[in-house]
Amino acid sequence: MRLRTRLALAFALLALVPLAVVVLPTLSRLRDTLSRELDARMQAATTSAQEALERSGATARRAVEELVDSPAMEDLARDAREHPTRAIQAGTAGALMKTRGLTVLSLFDNDGRVLSSGHLPARRGDPDPALFHVTRVKASRPLPVRVEVRTPSGLRQLPALVTARPVDYGDLRLWVVGGVLLDEGLTQHLARLTQARVSLLAEGAEVAVAGDAAPPTVARELPLGEAATVRLVFSRAAAREAEEGVMRAFLLLAGLGGAFAVLLGLLVSRWMTRPVEALTEGARRVAEGALDVRVESDATGEVGELVKTFNHMTSELKATTERLVASERIAAWQEVARRLAHEIKNPLTPIRMSLETLLAAQEARHPRFPELFKESAGVVLEEVDRLRRIVDEFSRFARMPKPQLAPVDLSELTQSVLALYATPPPGIEVQPSLQTGVVARVDRDMLTQVLVNLVKNAEEAMADKGGSLRVRVKGTEADAIIEVEDSGPGIPPENRARIFEPYFTTKEGGTGLGLAIAARILQEHGGKLEAGGEPGRGARFSVVLPRAEGATPAG
Ligand code: ADP
């Protein structure tokens, strides 16, 4: 991963981690607070529902007690003692019930028979054991029971809070059992009071319901003996909404913060890494050999120092390299001069000896002087010829003209060089393998000279025993290559470094300039000449040139 990307990520992490550290506990605290608040609200609502129930029970009880103590009741009891059925009629309880604001009222005789019923007049004359049972329970508070009533949809069992009180007149005892039905009126009142959805359950069925609670919800139940249960359903929607609001704000913040941090990271890292990247690029180019690289940067501090040191180093390197090249060149020419002197000295000895022989013969008036003269003159001429050859070769080497570059298809050029060997010397087999379309910008004549030289050397190497001469043209992405390989004796390792030196030769009558000239030609072309192969099994010379992509070869 690049330095820049890493820095941007680190910035984003730096921005997001504190945000997460703050927000997650905050969220959990908010959730706690909200749920505690809801708990308290539910507790308060349940309590007030309980109180409301108790209040309406108490109101009904007071109404029953006032009824029992009223003069009207005393009159009724007195009349009933004399003519029970005439005094208490089917509508009696109904009328009393209405005046007292009750919704349940039955008058019983002491045996549990209904004398009159306000909530179910049709009961008159029948026993109502469920309701009459209340008279047997000793309780100061109203009791929850299920009471049978007539509704538009027929007879129904509804829960009610009822109180029983006796009415005595002489030996007569009547029972008054009255109270309030728990129905829609109650659930509506409780729903208003608690802001919850309130339902009244009797035997698992919902008898009455009021209010709304949007999901999600939590429920609390308020049991009323076995008769009924009040269920309060509270909405958690508001709390959920608050949580989601905070979460949304967090996500928005995280998104914005993250994006901002990444942007900032990129900017900062760009500012920080630009000089480093310039240095990396500079170092790469120096490694490739470009010594005049200078890194331009306005960086300060350590990085600025590094840039300055780098530039200083490259200019030092350049100066040193130039000095080295210059001194190498001087040394090379000294060596060339030394060898040239040696080469010239060789023919001088036979010339001198021939002339001395002639002088001596003339002085002695040698009888065979004319023959001697002819012989010596031949030697002198031959050696002078050799001298001329040496001087010619040297001047060719020393005054190498600038190459005239043009795109050339190497397979075609190689083909034309090999054509000179259409009939190779006996025992030598030529095996060409020429990839077409490998083009390089070269001086055609100079490259021909190089190839002729390499082929001639290979042939000379195989002159004794014969063998095969493999000539290959191939291209890589960057290079155009010609290989000349023979199966001769190869190059001994101790000679490998010297074969490119001028005047190095192992051949009788060799000049030792062929490879030196070839290497220089390739150097002038921006290419190189490499020697390879295995000593004892053959030599391989590779001409490596920069490949000219897409250039059309001339001719
Ligand atoms: P010359 O051919 O006149 O000797 P060169 O510069 O062409 O000069 O070669 C220098 C030396 O390199 C040769 O004398 C020989 O020792 C060695 N050499 C060149 N080509 C080959 C080859 N194909 N196999 C073995 N040795 C070689």
Side-chain angles (χ1 to χ4, degrees), residues 190-273:
L190 290 183
R192 269 198 305 279
L193 201 67
T194 59
Q195 303 290 306
R197 177 181 190 271
V198 181
S199 56
L200 194 64
L201 306 172
E203 283 190 328
E206 210 168 52
V207 177
V209 60
D212 275 321
T217 58
V218 274
R220 283 289 170 94
E221 296 203 334
L222 207 64
L224 299 176
E226 285 170 8
T229 303
V230 176
R231 177 186 281 167
L232 303 160
V233 179
F234 297 89
S235 170
R236 285 195 63 240
R240 168 72 62 90
E241 213 167 275
E243 274 171 28
E244 282 174 359
V246 170
M247 201 63 203
R248 260 200 302 277
F250 165 63
L251 287 180
L252 191 73
L253 222 68
L256 284 178
F260 182 68
V262 167
L263 210 72
L264 200 70
L266 280 177
L267 282 177
V268 169
S269 60
R270 211 182 133 105
W271 168 69
M272 274 172 61
T273 59

Side-chain angles (χ1 to χ4, degrees), residues 453-454 456-458 460-461 486 489-491 495 499 504-507 510-516 539 541:
N453 199 280
L454 294 179
K456 181 178 74 71
N457 276 350
E460 284 169 2
D486 62 61
I491 307 153
N495 287 355
I499 54 174
F504 174 82
T505 181
T506 56
K507 296 173 196 164
T511 62
L513 283 177
L515 288 180
F541 286 86

